Amino acid sequence: MSQITLNVNGASHAIDVPSDMPLLWALRDKLNLVGTKYSCGIGVCGACTVLIDGRPEHSCMTTAMSEQGAEITTIEGLDPDGKHPTQVAWDEVDVSQCGYCQGGQLLTAVSLLEGNPDPSDADIDMAMSGVLCRCGTYQRIRKAIKLAAKYGQEGVVS
Amino acid sequence: MTVEASLNSVLPRRSFLKTTLLASGAFLVGVAYRRELWAGGSADEADWSPNLYLRIDPDNTVFILSKNPECGQGVKTALPMIVAECLEVDWEQVRVDQAGLDDRLGRQAAAGSGSTPDAWNDLRVAGTGARVMLVAAAAEKWSVAPSECVAREGRVLCEAKGLSARYGDLLKLAAKQAAPNLEALSLVSKPKDFKLLGRRIAGVDNAKIHTGKALFGCDTRLEGMLYAVYVKCPSFGGRVNKANVEQVLEMPGVTHAFVVEGGADPTGLAPGVAIVAETWWEANAARRYLRVDWETAQSDSSYDYERQADALRKEAGETLREDGQVEEAFGMAERIVEGSYYYPFVSHAPMEPQNCTALYHDSGRIELWAPTQLPGSARDAVSRTLGLKNESIQIHMTRMGGGFGRRLVNEFAAEVAWIAREVRRPVQLQWTREDDMSHDFYRPAGWHDFKAGLDEGGRMVAWDHHFVTFGNEGRSVSGAGISRSHYPAGLVENFRLRQSMIPCHVPTGPWRSPGHSAFCWAFQSFFDDVCDASGRDPLEFRMELLSRSFGEPPLDLARTRATLKLAAEKAGWGRELGEKRGMGLAFHFDHGGFATHIAEVSVGSGGRYKVDRVVSAIDVGPVLNRSGAENQVEGCVVDALSTCSQLEIEFIAGTAKQSNFRDYPLLRIDQTPTIECHFIESDNPPSGLGEPPFAPVAPAIANALFAATGRRVREMPFVRAGFSI
Ligand code: FES
Ligand code: FES
């Protein structure tokens, strides 16, 4: 067990974790931030995606200990009121089915739009291909990202 | 107050309307079930308690109960819309509450696309009945006739007198009205009369999903909760001889480690080793030190299955159905066409691996938080495992990260119940992805050999089909049976269906659109074999096939033809697409829904292909929530493409070979086609949409690949046949 401090969604948390505990399980079982999901545990599905210093990362593939000092954003920290342009677009397009993968989808999309405010279908497919959706909401994800891009540019929300 | 009405043929015979005024002033409406009809109990009034389909609060908020489990199929949004439509309220006024398992609510399941047909009458009665009583209340208050009043957007209006009242202000009076005679209620049923139904309504839980607050089964957190893994024999049915649980107990964070004897039924508590710890990571990390001496029970392998299938395919098998004079008809046929198809076992692989949370109370009661498609069967599994009565088992239904039929079996509930009783603290059992993929109830593989006899006009006059499937002691295993009336039975005068069965010791079960999701590809691919041999257009051939029946038709011919016609129109069937591109089509009928898909593909070098577009024409009666409906169609297309193109489970020594998304690669966004869906909104009662659009996707794609390349795909996944996406 080691005492570490994690900076998550703008707040700092001191926790005891086993040194090899992935960030995913520290978030879920130590901090009760259950919006970050487990699905494959081997870095291929993207359900556990969080933003680490703004970049989308698989939280199942990095230890909590090694992310001390980093700015971690989970889906709970995106905009708790759901007013981020990407969240608004996701609601308007009604992307979700079961919703289990959607936290990872949203955070990955947010990071795509930050680097590329007007992505093409090909850009979207490239950036989003690491986040699996078993329910098959991909067509809507493309549409929602374009709508979010428009909202982002127009400054319609948030 | 209570009124029980006699029931006409439209209404299920089990229901009657109950209304109650609560102490809070809220007005409660329920469609109750006659106890004697569903539980062998008495119909005594005293037995009844409100089942809370619908509650209106004095502040005009309308609460609608969603009784079925939500696994992404959208019932929690679409079904309450039925109540809101009939009640004449603004959707903004509506709040939806999730029910737990409650026998007073009747059927509670996410299965067989059955929630919509089941609820259609009850929910319309609940909404309409309440509206009629609110109108009667206003009429009494204003001393006018009810016929002078109308309900609109949560208010009753008397336009002639310029009067208006909110529902919330009429509750006391409404509760005093006689509940309406169910026979006299006029229930909205036609799409042209809908105001809310048929519109695009976003999922009621979207806001929670987008902010990480939607709670799935694995997100349940209880005070003082422990976490568990449950290790079963990699080869199905294996028992524990010995395990080093003492050493595992030494591992950091581990609080308990013990052997569970279990039984032979894979739908209940199977033998295994439970490891419980302060965090799930620690429980799972300790697993690496676990050494178990397993006594294995079977050693099924895909290789053996294939060898047995090869032998059985040469035999006659058992004749399940024979119409007309099959041999004579083949003897007289102008041309004979043959085709064979094989598909493998597949896994459900919902995004949220199986899990369940339980709290065993010292009083002997147990509470479970279960992501289940069939809460009643979760309760049964717990009851069998712990020897508890139903009354001592409380099931909370959580949102599910997908189901696809996997969560119809609830062995995870039995496992966590046992562990919770041992540890006497709240405990969450979480399977790994590997546990999930290697302990599934798989969709069984199958081999189909078809033979068709054609007359000089290319019409099918004889049909012989040998299906090699899996079964033990003369009965097909779960998910492996075929219906004797599967088309083209009844569409071809001389028809024979034969079956042979391979013994099977790995667990199988229903997988999205059970049977259909696999058969349809074989049948509809073979139809194109027939078209190819006779030079007929696949659309024209199917239209003709569906133009007449011999005896009872296996499906509604006109509704099926209408989906073919609409899809062909929208997709531009017959257009010239150019080099290495092709269009294919297929129809199907299952779970009350009719679907045709037309796929367009482009094929590059080395058999690499892309599905550019899928056009769907669907008839499930009225569309309830257009957004949810289209989402189900899109989801079915992606799921079916994923499954037919790249997925299979193989067995070696009784153990599944594939274990995670690396060797079981679900479809990605960059492999997804443009999907366009069109609904025929017939006036038939609505059916569900979680399954019907699935089956005809794979054959439409395979037929398009043939059109593009002249190469017929005879095995799944298509990557086995040299086509990679
Ligand atoms: S759980 Fe981390 S990538 Fe799948
Ligand atoms: S919405 Fe269910 S996995 Fe994506």
Side-chain angles (χ1 to χ4, degrees), chain A residues 1-73:
Chain A
M1 277 299 172
S2 332
Q3 248 251 318
I4 62 164
T5 305
L6 285 182
N7 189 342
V8 187
N9 302 330
S12 95
H13 303 267
I15 47 173
D16 280 327
V17 291
S19 57
D20 57 353
M21 181 183 259
L23 176 60
L24 169 63
W25 297 105
L27 293 171
R28 288 185 57 83
D29 295 359
K30 293 282 182 180
L31 297 178
N32 279 343
L33 288 169
V34 293
T36 307
K37 306 298 186 206
Y38 162 72
S39 186
C40 73
I42 57 167
V44 298
C45 78
C48 66
T49 302
V50 297
L51 298 180
I52 296 184
D53 297 326
R55 282 189 329 276
E57 302 277 357
H58 293 143
S59 63
C60 70
M61 296 303 284
T62 178
T63 60
M65 207 151 133
S66 65
E67 298 306 338
Q68 293 194 82
E71 290 271 353
I72 300 162
T73 307

Side-chain angles (χ1 to χ4, degrees), chain A residues 96-102 105 132-137, chain B residues 351 401-402:
Chain A
S96 298
Q97 287 185 35
C98 80
Y100 196 77
C101 71
Q102 298 296 342
Q105 306 282 6
L132 300 177
C133 176
R134 174 70 178 82
C135 299
T137 61
Chain B
M351 217 62 202

